[in-house]
Structures are given as C-alpha cells and as structure tokens.
Coordinates of all heavy atoms in Angstrom, one line a residue:
T1 N 0.8 -1.2 0.0 CA 0.0 0.0 0.0 C 0.8 1.3 0.0 O 1.8 1.3 0.8 CB -0.9 0.0 1.2 OG1 -1.7 -1.2 1.3 CG2 -1.9 1.2 1.3
V2 N 0.5 2.2 -0.7 CA 1.3 3.5 -0.9 C 1.0 4.3 0.4 O 0.0 4.5 0.8 CB 0.8 4.4 -2.1 CG1 1.5 5.6 -2.0 CG2 1.1 3.6 -3.4
R3 N 2.2 4.5 1.1 CA 2.1 5.3 2.4 C 2.5 6.7 2.3 O 2.4 7.5 3.2 CB 2.9 4.5 3.5 CG 2.3 3.3 3.9 CD 1.2 3.5 4.9 NE 0.4 2.4 5.4 CZ 0.7 1.8 6.5 NH1 1.7 2.2 7.3 NH2 0.1 0.7 6.8
S4 N 3.2 7.1 1.1 CA 3.5 8.6 1.0 C 3.4 8.9 -0.4 O 3.6 8.1 -1.4 CB 4.9 8.7 1.5 OG 5.9 8.1 0.6
L5 N 3.1 10.1 -0.7 CA 3.0 10.7 -2.0 C 4.5 10.8 -2.5 O 5.4 10.8 -1.7 CB 2.4 12.0 -2.1 CG 1.0 12.2 -1.7 CD1 0.4 13.6 -1.7 CD2 0.1 11.3 -2.7
P6 N 4.6 10.8 -3.8 CA 6.1 10.8 -4.3 C 6.7 12.0 -4.0 O 6.2 13.0 -4.0 CB 5.8 10.8 -5.8 CG 4.6 10.0 -6.2 CD 3.7 10.4 -4.9
A7 N 7.9 11.8 -3.5 CA 8.9 13.0 -2.9 C 10.3 12.6 -3.1 O 10.6 11.5 -3.1 CB 8.4 13.2 -1.6
L8 N 11.0 13.6 -3.1 CA 12.5 13.3 -3.2 C 12.9 12.8 -1.8 O 12.7 13.3 -0.9 CB 13.3 14.6 -3.5 CG 13.1 15.2 -4.9 CD1 13.9 16.5 -4.9 CD2 13.7 14.1 -5.8
S9 N 13.6 11.6 -1.9 CA 14.1 11.0 -0.7 C 15.3 9.9 -1.2 O 15.4 9.7 -2.3 CB 13.1 10.2 0.1 OG 12.6 9.2 -0.6
E10 N 16.0 9.5 -0.1 CA 17.0 8.6 -0.4 C 16.6 7.1 0.2 O 15.7 7.1 1.1 CB 18.3 9.0 0.2 CG 18.8 10.3 -0.2 CD 20.1 10.7 0.3 OE1 21.0 9.8 0.7 OE2 20.5 12.0 0.5
D11 N 17.4 6.0 -0.3 CA 17.2 4.8 0.4 C 17.7 4.7 1.8 O 18.5 5.6 2.2 CB 18.2 3.8 -0.4 CG 17.5 3.3 -1.8 OD1 16.4 3.1 -1.9 OD2 18.4 3.0 -2.7
T12 N 17.0 3.9 2.6 CA 17.5 3.8 3.9 C 18.8 2.9 3.9 O 19.1 2.3 2.9 CB 16.4 3.0 4.8 OG1 16.2 1.8 4.3 CG2 15.1 3.9 4.8
E13 N 19.5 2.8 4.9 CA 20.6 2.0 5.1 C 20.3 0.5 4.7 O 21.1 -0.1 4.0 CB 21.3 2.2 6.4 CG 22.8 2.3 6.5 CD 23.2 2.5 8.0 OE1 23.2 3.7 8.3 OE2 23.8 1.5 8.6
A14 N 19.2 0.0 5.3 CA 18.7 -1.3 5.1 C 18.5 -1.5 3.6 O 18.8 -2.7 3.0 CB 17.6 -1.6 6.0
E15 N 17.9 -0.6 2.9 CA 17.7 -0.8 1.5 C 18.9 -0.7 0.6 O 19.1 -1.5 -0.3 CB 16.6 0.5 1.1 CG 15.3 0.3 1.7 CD 14.5 1.4 1.6 OE1 14.9 2.6 1.3 OE2 13.2 1.4 1.6
V16 N 19.8 0.1 1.0 CA 21.2 0.1 0.3 C 21.9 -1.2 0.4 O 22.4 -1.6 -0.6 CB 21.9 1.2 0.9 CG1 23.4 1.2 0.3 CG2 21.4 2.6 0.4
E17 N 21.8 -1.8 1.4 CA 22.4 -3.2 1.5 C 21.8 -4.2 0.7 O 22.5 -5.3 0.5 CB 22.2 -3.7 3.0 CG 23.0 -2.8 4.0 CD 23.0 -3.2 5.4 OE1 22.4 -4.4 5.7 OE2 23.3 -2.4 6.3
L18 N 20.7 -4.0 0.1 CA 20.1 -5.0 -0.8 C 20.6 -4.8 -2.3 O 20.2 -5.7 -3.2 CB 18.5 -4.8 -0.8 CG 17.9 -5.1 0.6 CD1 16.5 -4.8 0.7 CD2 18.3 -6.6 1.0
Y19 N 21.5 -4.0 -2.7 CA 22.0 -3.8 -3.9 C 23.2 -4.8 -3.9 O 24.0 -4.8 -3.0 CB 22.5 -2.4 -4.2 CG 21.4 -1.4 -4.4 CD1 21.1 -0.6 -3.3 CD2 20.8 -1.3 -5.5 CE1 20.0 0.3 -3.5 CE2 19.7 -0.4 -5.7 CZ 19.4 0.5 -4.8 OH 18.4 1.3 -4.9
P20 N 23.4 -5.5 -5.1 CA 24.6 -6.5 -5.0 C 25.9 -5.8 -4.9 O 26.8 -6.4 -4.3 CB 24.3 -7.2 -6.3 CG 23.3 -6.5 -7.1 CD 22.6 -5.6 -6.2
D21 N 26.1 -4.7 -5.5 CA 27.3 -3.9 -5.4 C 27.0 -2.6 -4.7 O 26.9 -2.5 -3.5 CB 27.9 -3.7 -6.8 CG 28.3 -5.0 -7.5 OD1 28.9 -5.9 -6.8 OD2 27.9 -5.2 -8.7
E22 N 26.8 -1.6 -5.6 CA 26.3 -0.3 -5.1 C 25.1 0.1 -5.9 O 25.0 -0.3 -7.0 CB 27.4 0.7 -5.1 CG 27.9 1.1 -6.5 CD 29.0 2.2 -6.5 OE1 29.8 2.1 -5.7 OE2 28.8 3.1 -7.4
P23 N 24.4 1.1 -5.5 CA 23.2 1.3 -6.3 C 23.6 2.1 -7.6 O 24.7 2.7 -7.6 CB 22.5 2.5 -5.4 CG 23.0 2.2 -4.0 CD 24.4 1.7 -4.1
P24 N 22.9 1.7 -8.6 CA 23.2 2.3 -9.9 C 23.1 3.9 -9.9 O 22.3 4.3 -9.0 CB 22.2 1.7 -10.9 CG 21.6 0.4 -10.2 CD 21.8 0.7 -8.7
P25 N 23.8 4.6 -10.6 CA 23.7 6.0 -10.5 C 22.4 6.6 -10.5 O 22.1 7.5 -9.7 CB 24.6 6.6 -11.7 CG 25.5 5.5 -12.0 CD 24.7 4.1 -11.7
D26 N 21.3 6.0 -11.3 CA 20.0 6.5 -11.4 C 19.2 6.2 -10.2 O 18.1 6.4 -10.2 CB 19.5 6.3 -12.7 CG 19.3 4.8 -13.1 OD1 20.0 4.1 -12.5 OD2 18.6 4.4 -13.9
F27 N 19.8 5.5 -9.3 CA 19.1 5.1 -8.0 C 19.8 5.8 -6.7 O 19.2 5.6 -5.6 CB 19.1 3.5 -7.8 CG 18.1 3.0 -8.7 CD1 18.4 2.6 -10.0 CD2 16.8 2.7 -8.2 CE1 17.6 2.0 -10.8 CE2 16.1 2.0 -9.1 CZ 16.2 1.7 -10.3
Q28 N 20.9 6.3 -7.0 CA 21.7 6.9 -5.8 C 21.1 8.3 -5.5 O 20.6 9.0 -6.3 CB 23.1 7.2 -6.2 CG 23.8 5.9 -6.4 CD 25.2 6.1 -6.9 OE1 25.9 7.1 -6.9 NE2 25.9 5.0 -7.3
G29 N 21.3 8.6 -4.2 CA 20.9 9.9 -3.7 C 19.5 10.2 -3.8 O 18.6 9.3 -3.7

C-alpha cells in the first residue's frame, strides 16, 4: 500500500544493503 506521495528521498541504510554492489547512478541519492 502506498504510504507517502512521491517525494525526493534517499534509500534507507537497510535498502542500500540490498544492492549486489552499489546502487546504480540513477538510484543513488
């Protein structure tokens, strides 16, 4: 379920850990 309207934000630390290497450039920041 959508809990927030689209807004500029970053991945949480836990979410960043789910990338096999590092987030691709278009997912960073």
Side-chain angles (χ1 to χ4, degrees):
T1 303
V2 174
R3 288 284 177 96
S4 72
L5 295 176
L8 290 175
S9 67
E10 297 186 33
D11 280 322
T12 64
E13 222 174 279
E15 292 164 340
V16 169
E17 291 178 14
L18 299 173
Y19 292 98
D21 297 313
E22 64 177 45
D26 57 339
F27 286 82
Q28 292 178 8

